[in-house]
Amino acid sequence: MRKSVLAGAAVLMALTACAPSDSDTAAGSPTDKATNNACGSNAKIVSMPKAASFPYYDAANVGAEKAAKELGGSFSEVAPATIDAAAQAALIDTQARKPDVCALMISANDRDALNPAVKRARAAGKTVITWDSDISEGTQLYISQASNEAIGTELVQSLAEQIGHKGKIAFLVGSPTQANQNIWLDVMKKELAKPENKDITVVKTVYGEGQDQKATQEIQSLLQQYPDIAGMIAPDAANMPVAARILKAKKLGGKVALTGLALPSQMKNYVKDGTLKSFALWDVEKLGYLSYYAAHGLATGKIKGEPGEKFTAGEAGEFTITDDHQVELGPLLFFTKDNVDNYSY
Amino acid sequence: MVRRLSVFGRWESFLLVLVVVTFLLGSASSSAFATSANLSAAAASYTEVALIALPMTLIIIMGDIDLSVGSVVALASTALGRMTMEGFPIGLSVVLVVLLGAIAGAVNAVLVVVLRLPSLVVTLGTLTLYAGLARVTLSAGGVAQFPSFVSNFGSGYLPGTLVPWALLVVVVAVIPFAVVLHSSHLGRQVFSIGGNAEAARYSGVRTERIRFVLFVISGCVAALAGLMLTARLNTASPDNGTTLVLTVLAAVLLGGVSVFGGKGTLAGVVLAIVLLAAVQNSLSLRDVNSNTQQIAIGGLLIFSVLATDGFSRLRAWLQDRAETGRRTGASAGMPGTREPVTTETAG
């Protein structure tokens, strides 16, 4: 048995021994050894969404691939299996070590948890931008889908109108740590505090955790707990179809108002059969398209990333970098039964 | 009497071969794989798993299980965040968090050992309970304002090397666990509890005390891992560690520890962790998507169960033949064709 102890120790020794072999990278500035000093227009850009296999990110990929084709760059997607910040941080570290990768475009699972990994990636010479969901420090640009103000206020206004500015409502959100949704919640609460909405009360905030089963349970128990609920706002594309499915099954369509952010393909049938009037999103394809243009521009030096700088993102037009290093895609896009068929994602 | 097979017949040797093959394939498929920076980052991302796997190995060998470790990690992370927000000095917070881990472990221990409830059910319950407590401790969002000591520990290396500090913690922790399990009286008692708890008790092993202490240690170590993960991500969040436990269990079982208790080595578990980390890292470097990676790792686990089962059957068969050979005597003169193979392998 002592042998196995020694074997275990030996393996760890081996692991530790191979690590320090080029200690100069750690001691000095790793940028010296950085590999991508020359990212040409064929730059390889990796998108790192929150998790794999979401139709939302697939739509963004379509836009990013289109941009890659126009610019002559390459594009690939790398994502954790579930919404998990630690797993995403590990993936960032892995990509940062690949000599052929020029830039990373990240939709962050956590506002703070990716900062150390992004710092290491930057030190290894990679261009890093965030899109869709930001981090608190280290990103060179944040491509935001729409201004947080617009998302929060327009969703509340749409719902308030549908319920005649009175009644009980609930928020159906993803998880308590998702940065973007927390900001929208704050904006929505501010909008609800306005005098015209004084008769609206928020009775509950429900977390779907990005899982169909969890969301189903939570929304069903919400409807049982508050049978007189007037409306629900879901700023989370995973909760929207679940909520619509439940409303339809319980024949509550038109009685309980529902609005939120979702993909047209998820909700197409529900707006057509009247389960809900409208829902919103930004142009996801265009978001991926713009993000790729920004990452590519920064990696190749065409964009400096300075406040006030203007750049053109192909057919999406001209954008300006704000003082806090953001680029905003534009206002919300509302989908109704009349226009929902115009969008393929 | 149990006869030891040669080193070639051991599961650990097989794992070692797999590790070597993975390293060779990894290096061949990506130039970035065998760089020290990559290995350092890959090792860092498995330090929490490795640390938690140490007490888990002993607990599973003992015939129990502790599913609550991931939630203890989350609880430790949020507790550290909360204490930092409240202005506690970092040294005091660290001590209190480890103590909190001990309490969490002791709660498991009381339910499992004193009240004699099955550990699978108890720790499934505390898994949810502690996760809930973690969310209450730090309800909205995460905390990322730590003293620089924390982030230096989490992202820093031993001076002059690329060895993450957390890896040093793991290496230091492996030693006492390995010594206790494999070369101490206490270790033999752990195996005997897993082999047959009743028999162990009648032969004078203080089974209750040992099981109690191991659950408490498991809680402490999980809390320590929670501190390490918090430092590595520089963020306290109730989401930290929630996916850890399945990886830990995969590592322990892949390492050849019997899920029924009584069998296993720490070397096997350490090799399994290195293997998992290397497989995952090399697949990531090849941009293999994470769903496919999960299929690969799940497949590896199933394969390990099949293979260990095959190994033990082979071993039993070989032993059986060796015994039969001896009993019938005069094995040298026996005409059996497979006879020489038997004697060589069992030697």
Side-chain angles (χ1 to χ4, degrees), chain A residues 1 4-5 11-12 18-20 22-23 26 44 53 76 78-81 84 91 94-95 97-98 112-113 116 120 176-177, chain B residues 32 36-37 39 135 141 144 155 160-162 171 174 178 182 232-235 237 239 243 267 271 274 284-285 287 290-291 294:
Chain A
M1 284 304 174
S4 31
V5 179
V11 168
L12 275 155
C18 60
D22 67 348
S23 48
K44 179 175 179 185
S53 322
S76 60
V78 172
D84 178 354
L91 288 177
T94 312
Q95 292 300 318
R97 298 300 154 211
K98 295 181 68 171
D112 304 303
R120 286 190 288 272
T177 55
Chain B
S36 44
L39 295 179
R135 294 215 176 273
S155 313
T161 72
L162 274 183
V171 173
V174 165
H182 294 305
R232 187 158 68 78
L233 299 174
N234 200 27
T235 305
S237 157
D239 291 336
T243 55
L271 281 167
V274 175
S284 292
L285 283 172
D287 287 355
S290 51
N291 298 335
Q294 287 189 317

Side-chain angles (χ1 to χ4, degrees), chain B residues 9-59:
Chain B
R10 294 180 62 97
W11 177 246
E12 289 78 5
S13 316
F14 183 60
L15 281 175
L16 188 61
V17 171
L18 285 183
V19 168
V20 171
V21 169
T22 310
F23 269 72
L24 290 177
L25 287 177
S27 316
S29 70
S30 167
S31 60
F33 180 80
T35 60
S36 44
N38 178 57
L39 295 179
S40 163
S45 68
Y46 268 80
T47 46
E48 297 90 18
V49 167
L51 198 63
I52 296 174
L54 302 176
M56 188 70 87
T57 302
L58 271 66
I59 284 181

Side-chain angles (χ1 to χ4, degrees), chain B residues 69-79 130-131 134-135 222 226 237-242:
Chain B
V69 285
S71 299
V72 176
V73 166
L75 189 58
S77 180
T78 52
Y130 298 155
R135 294 215 176 273
S237 157
D239 291 336
N240 283 353
T242 45

Side-chain angles (χ1 to χ4, degrees), chain B residues 185-222:
Chain B
H185 182 55
L186 187 61
R188 282 189 290 280
Q189 291 182 328
V190 168
F191 279 104
S192 73
I193 296 171
N196 186 337
E198 282 304 301
R201 191 176 302 119
Y202 287 125
S203 60
V205 177
R206 307 174 88 161
T207 55
E208 269 87 12
R209 179 181 291 193
I210 294 173
R211 290 173 74 206
F212 197 101
V213 169
L214 270 177
F215 273 101
V216 173
I217 290 176
S218 180
C220 287
V221 169

Side-chain angles (χ1 to χ4, degrees), chain B residues 8-331:
Chain B
F8 300 105
R10 294 180 62 97
W11 177 246
E12 289 78 5
S13 316
F14 183 60
L15 281 175
L16 188 61
V17 171
L18 285 183
V19 168
V20 171
V21 169
T22 310
F23 269 72
L24 290 177
L25 287 177
S27 316
S29 70
S30 167
S31 60
F33 180 80
T35 60
S36 44
N38 178 57
L39 295 179
S40 163
S45 68
Y46 268 80
T47 46
E48 297 90 18
V49 167
L51 198 63
I52 296 174
L54 302 176
M56 188 70 87
T57 302
L58 271 66
I59 284 181
I60 294 181
I61 287 177
M62 212 166 54
D64 282 306
I65 198 162
D66 184 354
L67 296 176
S68 70
V69 285
S71 299
V72 176
V73 166
L75 189 58
S77 180
T78 52
L80 181 71
R82 190 58 189 258
M83 288 183 211
T84 308
M85 261 166 68
E86 308 286 341
F88 283 45
I90 185 73
L92 177 64
S93 307
V94 167
V95 172
L96 288 177
V97 166
V98 174
L99 205 62
L100 182 67
I103 294 169
V107 170
N108 286 336
V110 167
L111 293 168
V112 172
V113 181
V114 180
L115 300 178
R116 295 172 192 274
L117 301 171
S119 55
L120 184 76
V121 182
V122 166
T123 57
L124 188 62
T126 50
L127 165 107
T128 317
L129 177 74
Y130 298 155
L133 284 178
R135 294 215 176 273
V136 174
T137 311
L138 212 61
S139 49
V143 172
Q145 306 302 321
F146 291 107
S148 56
F149 163 77
V150 174
S151 55
N152 289 346
F153 175 84
S155 313
Y157 308 101
L158 267 75
T161 72
L162 274 183
V163 179
W165 284 109
L167 189 60
L168 182 73
V169 173
V170 173
V171 173
V172 169
V174 165
I175 297 165
F177 278 99
V179 169
V180 165
L181 183 62
H182 294 305
S183 9
S184 78
H185 182 55
L186 187 61
R188 282 189 290 280
Q189 291 182 328
V190 168
F191 279 104
S192 73
I193 296 171
N196 186 337
E198 282 304 301
R201 191 176 302 119
Y202 287 125
S203 60
V205 177
R206 307 174 88 161
T207 55
E208 269 87 12
R209 179 181 291 193
I210 294 173
R211 290 173 74 206
F212 197 101
V213 169
L214 270 177
F215 273 101
V216 173
I217 290 176
S218 180
C220 287
V221 169
L224 195 62
L227 294 173
M228 277 164 36
L229 182 60
T230 308
R232 187 158 68 78
L233 299 174
N234 200 27
T235 305
S237 157
D239 291 336
N240 283 353
T242 45
T243 55
L244 267 179
V245 68
L246 290 178
T247 317
V248 171
L249 291 178
V252 172
L253 300 180
L254 181 61
V257 175
S258 165
V259 75
F260 304 112
K263 265 183 274 177
T265 67
L266 218 50
V269 174
V270 170
L271 281 167
I273 293 166
V274 175
L275 180 63
L276 283 178
V279 166
Q280 201 192 23
N281 181 252
S282 58
L283 291 176
S284 292
L285 283 172
R286 295 279 298 158
D287 287 355
V288 173
N289 85 36
S290 51
N291 298 335
T292 316
Q293 287 188 26
Q294 287 189 317
I295 294 170
I297 287 171
L300 197 63
L301 195 60
I302 298 289
F303 168 74
S304 82
V305 176
L306 286 174
T308 36
D309 188 54
F311 259 66
S312 53
R313 277 166 200 244
L314 179 71
R315 182 187 289 220
W317 181 76
L318 289 172
Q319 269 167 9
D320 196 42
R321 280 196 62 98
E323 298 281 317
T324 323
R326 251 196 319 284
R327 222 172 290 130
T328 46
S331 59

Side-chain angles (χ1 to χ4, degrees), chain A residues 38-200:
Chain A
C39 270
S41 57
N42 62 348
K44 179 175 179 185
I45 292 166
V46 177
S47 176
M48 312 188 88
K50 289 180 184 172
S53 322
F54 279 107
Y56 176 88
Y57 291 114
D58 293 344
N61 288 349
V62 171
E65 268 160 17
K66 188 174 165 204
K69 211 168 271 170
E70 287 172 17
L71 290 164
S74 87
F75 172 79
S76 60
E77 183 200 49
V78 172
T82 53
I83 294 185
D84 178 354
Q88 201 177 20
L91 288 177
I92 293 171
D93 276 325
T94 312
Q95 292 300 318
R97 298 300 154 211
K98 295 181 68 171
D100 58 330
V101 171
C102 276
L104 303 175
M105 41 190 267
I106 301 168
S107 169
N109 276 320
D110 188 287
R111 197 169 160 69
D112 304 303
L114 304 182
N115 294 352
V118 166
K119 202 170 146 193
R120 286 190 288 272
R122 291 282 301 280
K126 307 300 182 198
T127 296
V128 179
I129 69 160
T130 43
W131 61 285
D132 182 60
S133 177
D134 199 10
I135 57 173
S136 56
E137 57 188 54
T139 184
Q140 287 166 268
L141 270 187
Y142 171 53
I143 315 300
S144 96
Q145 47 278 83
S147 79
N148 293 324
E149 289 298 319
I151 294 172
T153 51
E154 288 181 38
L155 285 182
V156 167
Q157 279 165 5
S158 168
L159 188 82
E161 220 166 89
Q162 292 182 46
I163 63 173
H165 293 274
K166 62 168 186 282
K168 293 176 180 166
I169 66 163
F171 296 128
L172 317 176
V173 295
S175 88
T177 55
Q178 281 181 32
N180 48 1
Q181 295 193 14
N182 278 330
I183 296 169
W184 302 335
L185 276 185
D186 287 343
V187 177
M188 289 198 265
K189 283 171 190 160
K190 235 179 269 167
E191 183 67 19
L192 285 167
K194 286 186 178 166
E196 71 260 32
N197 293 328
K198 65 178 182 342
D199 294 329
I200 299 177

